Amino acid sequence: MSSLLDANERFVALADAIAARDAHPGDAITSLRETGRAAFAERGLPHTRLEEWRYTNLAPLSGLSLEPPSEDGRIDRSLLESLATPVFACGLAVFINGRPQEALGGLPAGDVSLTSLRDADPGTAGRLVDVKQHPLAALSAATTEDGIVVQIPAGVALEHPVHLVFVSSSPDAPSVSSPRVVIEAGAGSRAVVIQDHVSVAGGHAHFTNAVTEVHAGANSDLQLAVIQREDDADIHASNVAVHQERDSRFASHVITLGGRLVRNDLNVVLAGSGAECTMNGLYLGTGDRLIDNHTLVDHAVPHCTSHELYKGVLADDSRGVFRGRVVVRPDAQKTDATQQNPNLLLSDGTEIDTKPQLEIYADDVKCSHGSAIGRIDEEALFYMRARGIGQRDARALLTRGFAAEILATLPGEALAEALTADFVARMTGGTGA
Amino acid sequence: MGDTLLEIQNLHARAGDAQILNGIDLTIRPGEVHAIMGPNGSGKSTLAGVLSGRPGYTVTDGSVRFEEKNLLELEAEERAREGIFLAFQYPVEIPGVTNNYFLKASVNAIREHRGEESLDAIDFLSMAKEKMAIVEMPKDLMARSVNEGFSGGEKKRNEVLQMLLLEPKLAILDETDSGLDIDALRVVASGVNALRDENRSMLVITHYQRLLDYIVPDYVHVLAEGRIQRSGGKELAHELEAKGYGWLGLDEGASA
């Protein structure tokens, strides 16, 4: 435990260093940092004796001597485009190591308002995530340098997605960035937001510790894609908190293709009746990577729907963790909740710990859940080989087919195609099958 | 019809631990259609499996030559690329992979082996359309996952479509007729017949004589207890139909 205590002290010092070099008393960032620092200083990093962290040991993180993020001047538009294909021209905002780069993005976004967190009212961020419950979100708040507030005005339907690209780079030393995204979807609005995390190859490990807060107004329709495709040395934590008002429709797509250690928390509160929530996830494990998804959907009121499908593909010696909680409160009658976590294991060295968890306190509900663990279908493999397709290609094609159910639901064909290509490249590069 | 395309000599094989084939001899020359009939458990599907390279079978004796090659040394995909096609008795469903994508990958794998250029999506589609018309395949089946939710007849038509696209030298039809109504059978058979020519050979495995009214064989062999018990012309199939396998001193459901 001593290394964890050391790490806690080091991380508090890191937060202080970040705050000291860039202080803006009284703004939204300062209040976020102060709350986060206090919570983190009290509790520190989570350890594996906690139920929520049982299968995920943060030693790879606590062992890093993290520095505040540096500016990386090597990143230009062409590097950006090669890392973050496809890059959409409308509503593009680019962050390098957690700080906005107006020269790279900042193109006219039409009806949507994109504001730096620096310019937002104090209290804009931090309303949906309880930093006392989420230690990494506390650390994220304590070390944040900036963020973005995406406001979709009431009644506006955006024609193009809002594309937020987060590039991380640690050329000189391991470093941290803690971007904050706040999405406010006005009543009756419709939008797609893509949060794409990429990293510059080479250099040292980077720890991206992102927090996203989504306020889905009444009857709004919002799709959020969180794409994690950093280098295999990088560590990624993501905490997405969603508050849905009545009749709102929210869909998340969490696609994890890269990173050495990835922990995702997705918490959705269905706070208004008639709200609908779709949670799709796809994670690809190669090498000795660990990917952990913890989701919680809270049916707080009647007549809400949630559908969750997380699919895992694990190769080599990788590990996956899935814990999906569905809570149906006593008043939440007529709830319709489904949850599925199928996993495809491509080798004997893999491990998946999956735990669906329904907590139902109402009596007139429709809920189902299940996990499955399987291997490549040998009969399908032979069928493909009998058609001249080589063993390796056939396995790749079958695995791609397994993932397609999630990739095909991504908003926009260009995004689905780019991520399918990325998925296949990483999978075939990783398995050596 | 001078050369030999496939030559099976004294073939013995096990499926798992069970000895199924007990010395098969069969020679197929280019352009010939051979039918293999036999009761359940006679070894028909094992023969198809051994020839196509399906995992799970062990050849314990004998040899199989395909053109100049030792077929048994080739992987399943290599056999397909050399020109052997197995129409599956139970075509496999592949969720998430569209029929179009699968067929294109398959055609291109084989074209590449033959030293031909890969087809792009547009060229492939125009080629596929022509073949789809032959088997009366609805267009929307190309955009759906391979065989997923297809009816029995649609699955078998999809098999024949693949065969038409891949233009094999030897097509092995493993009980392609089973489970088909007469209309579907007619469509499937006309697809198979569209491919018949003086160079292409077929091995038609069936439990029923009915199929052979539509795909008329040059030779009929009766397989039982892992051996060819009798060979003859197409009239042998009719005799079998009329008299049953008991006529040859064989049980209707001889055990494996």
Side-chain angles (χ1 to χ4, degrees):
Chain A
M1 273 299 113
S2 67
S3 68
L4 208 56
L5 289 176
D6 288 351
N8 291 341
E9 279 174 24
R10 278 187 283 113
F11 287 175
V12 170
L14 173 71
D16 291 341
I18 288 171
R21 78 174 188 179
D22 192 15
H24 298 265
D27 73 2
I29 290 174
T30 303
S31 61
L32 196 61
R33 282 174 178 166
E34 284 169 356
T35 320
R37 186 194 185 283
F40 185 79
E42 194 183 327
R43 289 180 174 76
L45 289 173
H47 48 75
T48 51
R49 293 190 308 272
L50 297 168
E51 181 60 26
E52 296 272 307
W53 292 90
R54 214 170 129 192
Y55 299 105
T56 300
N57 188 329
L58 287 178
L61 172 63
S62 61
L64 288 179
S65 294
L66 293 171
E67 299 282 331
S70 62
E71 296 269 6
D72 189 336
R74 293 175 302 162
I75 299 163
D76 57 15
R77 177 79 192 191
S78 70
L79 178 60
L80 176 76
E81 288 183 1
S82 72
L83 291 171
T85 308
V87 175
F88 299 100
C90 296
L92 174 67
V94 179
F95 289 72
I96 296 175
N97 288 345
R99 276 178 291 192
Q101 309 290 314
E102 280 173 22
L104 288 175
L107 292 164
D111 289 326
V112 62
S113 143
L114 304 178
T115 318
S116 161
L117 196 55
R118 291 212 171 282
D119 303 324
D121 294 335
T124 300
R127 283 177 287 161
L128 296 186
V129 184
D130 181 356
V131 288
K132 291 180 178 140
Q133 298 293 324
H134 295 280
L136 290 185
L139 181 61
S140 174
T143 55
T144 193
E145 292 206 290
D146 205 345
I148 191 162
V149 183
V150 179
Q151 287 166 305
I152 305 121
V156 165
L158 294 184
E159 194 181 338
H160 300 288
V162 175
H163 198 167
L164 312 174
V165 180
F166 297 88
V167 187
S168 64
S169 169
S170 296
D172 307 316
S175 64
V176 64
S177 58
S178 305
R180 169 80 48 156
V181 177
V182 179
I183 302 169
E184 296 175 357
S189 67
R190 190 176 74 219
V192 171
V193 178
I194 297 161
Q195 187 174 331
D196 191 4
H197 294 274
V198 298
S199 66
V200 178
H204 296 264
H206 192 92
F207 174 39
T208 297
N209 190 4
V211 176
T212 301
E213 301 175 66
V214 177
H215 302 267
N219 202 31
S220 63
D221 185 326
L222 181 73
Q223 295 207 54
L224 172 68
V226 177
I227 301 155
Q228 300 160 329
R229 42 177 172 166
E230 288 116 317
D231 252 31
D232 282 348
D234 294 331
I235 298 175
H236 190 115
S238 155
N239 191 309
V240 177
V242 184
H243 182 90
Q244 287 190 244
E245 291 176 27
R246 62 172 304 156
D247 301 322
S248 60
R249 294 168 302 283
F250 170 77
S252 66
H253 310 264
V254 179
I255 312 292
T256 308
L257 303 179
R260 169 190 183 183
L261 168 61
V262 179
R263 163 68 180 230
N264 297 319
D265 284 272
L266 171 61
N267 298 300
V268 180
V269 178
L270 299 169
S273 65
E276 276 179 36
C277 164
T278 302
M279 296 180 284
N280 286 333
L282 174 68
Y283 45 96
L284 171 66
T286 55
D288 61 354
R289 304 171 50 218
L290 167 65
I291 301 142
D292 175 348
N293 279 287
H294 270 61
T295 68
L296 166 61
V297 55
D298 183 351
H299 283 263
V301 296
H303 293 286
C304 290
T305 303
S306 67
H307 294 298
E308 178 169 23
L309 176 63
Y310 269 63
K311 292 187 111 172
V313 175
L314 298 175
D316 306 325
D317 299 311
S318 63
R319 283 184 53 210
V321 178
F322 175 81
R323 186 184 185 214
R325 282 179 71 201
V326 178
V327 178
V328 182
R329 308 255 168 213
D331 292 338
Q333 303 296 1
K334 304 288 180 191
T335 286
D336 180 356
T338 64
Q339 181 188 73
Q340 292 294 327
N341 175 229
N343 291 278
L344 178 62
L345 306 189
L346 297 177
S347 80
D348 292 335
T350 58
E351 184 181 321
I352 173 77
D353 297 289
T354 173
K355 187 179 179 190
Q357 200 175 334
L358 295 182
E359 297 166 32
I360 303 171
Y361 304 103
D363 52 16
D364 183 12
V365 301
K366 200 166 82 183
C367 296
S368 69
H369 68 99
S371 337
I373 298 165
R375 293 181 176 278
I376 288 275
D377 178 355
E378 290 297 325
E379 187 64 14
L381 191 60
F382 173 62
Y383 190 54
M384 292 198 157
R385 294 175 64 206
R387 297 296 175 258
I389 300 169
Q391 175 107 252
R392 190 189 157 94
D393 288 344
R395 286 176 73 90
L397 202 51
L398 289 170
T399 308
R400 186 192 126 119
F402 177 81
E405 193 179 1
I406 300 296
L407 292 170
T409 64
L410 281 165
E413 234 176 81
L415 186 66
E417 273 175 26
L419 290 186
T420 300
D422 206 346
F423 174 86
V424 170
R426 287 173 190 260
M427 172 189 57
T428 50
T431 59
Chain B
M1 291 205 183
D3 300 339
T4 299
L5 180 67
L6 182 79
E7 184 160 37
I8 304 173
Q9 287 184 325
N10 192 33
L11 183 65
H12 288 66
R14 284 202 311 253
D17 290 331
Q19 187 71 36
I20 307 287
L21 300 183
N22 297 306
I24 298 222
D25 292 286
L26 179 65
T27 300
I28 300 180
R29 285 175 288 272
E32 292 178 352
V33 174
H34 290 244
I36 293 207
M37 302 187 68
N40 289 330
S42 58
K44 301 192 298 291
S45 282
T46 298
L47 180 60
V50 168
L51 293 178
S52 59
R54 179 188 282 277
Y57 297 107
T58 317
V59 173
T60 52
D61 201 3
S63 66
V64 182
R65 297 201 74 76
F66 182 71
E67 296 185 308
E68 295 309 309
K69 296 196 170 63
N70 177 355
L71 188 71
L72 301 176
E73 280 179 353
L74 302 181
E75 297 288 340
E77 55 268 40
E78 294 171 322
R79 299 181 196 200
R81 293 170 194 163
E82 290 293 334
I84 289 188
F85 180 90
L86 172 67
F88 279 54
Q89 184 178 3
Y90 304 109
V92 184
E93 299 187 2
I94 306 177
V97 179
T98 65
N99 212 22
N100 185 58
Y101 193 97
F102 170 60
L103 297 186
K104 184 158 82 70
S106 168
V107 166
N108 280 335
I110 283 168
R111 288 181 70 91
E112 190 184 325
H113 180 74
R114 291 178 187 160
E116 297 166 2
E117 252 181 69
S118 288
L119 295 178
D120 64 21
I122 293 163
D123 289 342
F124 172 74
L125 203 65
S126 66
M127 175 180 168
K129 264 187 188 159
E130 184 195 317
K131 313 287 186 193
M132 283 161 68
I134 297 174
V135 291
E136 298 173 25
M137 175 89 118
K139 219 164 73 181
D140 67 293
L141 292 190
M142 292 299 273
R144 298 211 340 231
S145 292
V146 179
N147 292 325
E148 199 180 37
F150 287 24
S151 70
E154 286 169 340
K155 284 181 181 173
K156 295 295 171 80
R157 270 187 267 176
N158 203 23
E159 293 295 290
V160 176
L161 173 65
Q162 292 171 33
M163 189 174 121
L164 291 169
L165 286 166
L166 299 179
E167 300 182 334
K169 291 173 185 157
L170 173 67
I172 303 166
L173 277 62
D174 187 7
E175 305 209 17
T176 296
D177 54 330
S178 54
L180 293 187
D181 64 31
I182 196 74
D183 293 329
L185 181 67
R186 212 174 272 142
V187 172
V188 162
S190 77
V192 172
N193 287 329
L195 211 56
R196 279 183 85 158
D197 67 24
E198 68 271 20
N199 291 317
R200 208 176 321 276
S201 309
M202 293 182 188
L203 185 61
V204 181
I205 294 171
T206 181
H207 191 74
Y208 307 105
Q209 180 270 335
R210 186 182 65 160
L211 176 68
L212 305 181
D213 289 341
Y214 297 94
I215 303 172
V216 180
D218 300 306
Y219 301 95
V220 174
H221 311 277
V222 180
L223 185 67
E225 290 162 9
R227 277 195 203 90
I228 291 177
Q229 306 285 349
R230 181 172 296 214
S231 297
K234 61 178 183 247
E235 66 287 347
L236 180 57
H238 292 283
E239 264 181 283
L240 270 179
E241 182 75 2
K243 300 179 183 170
Y245 290 106
W247 165 60
L248 294 170
L250 304 168
D251 289 343
E252 197 61 41
S255 67

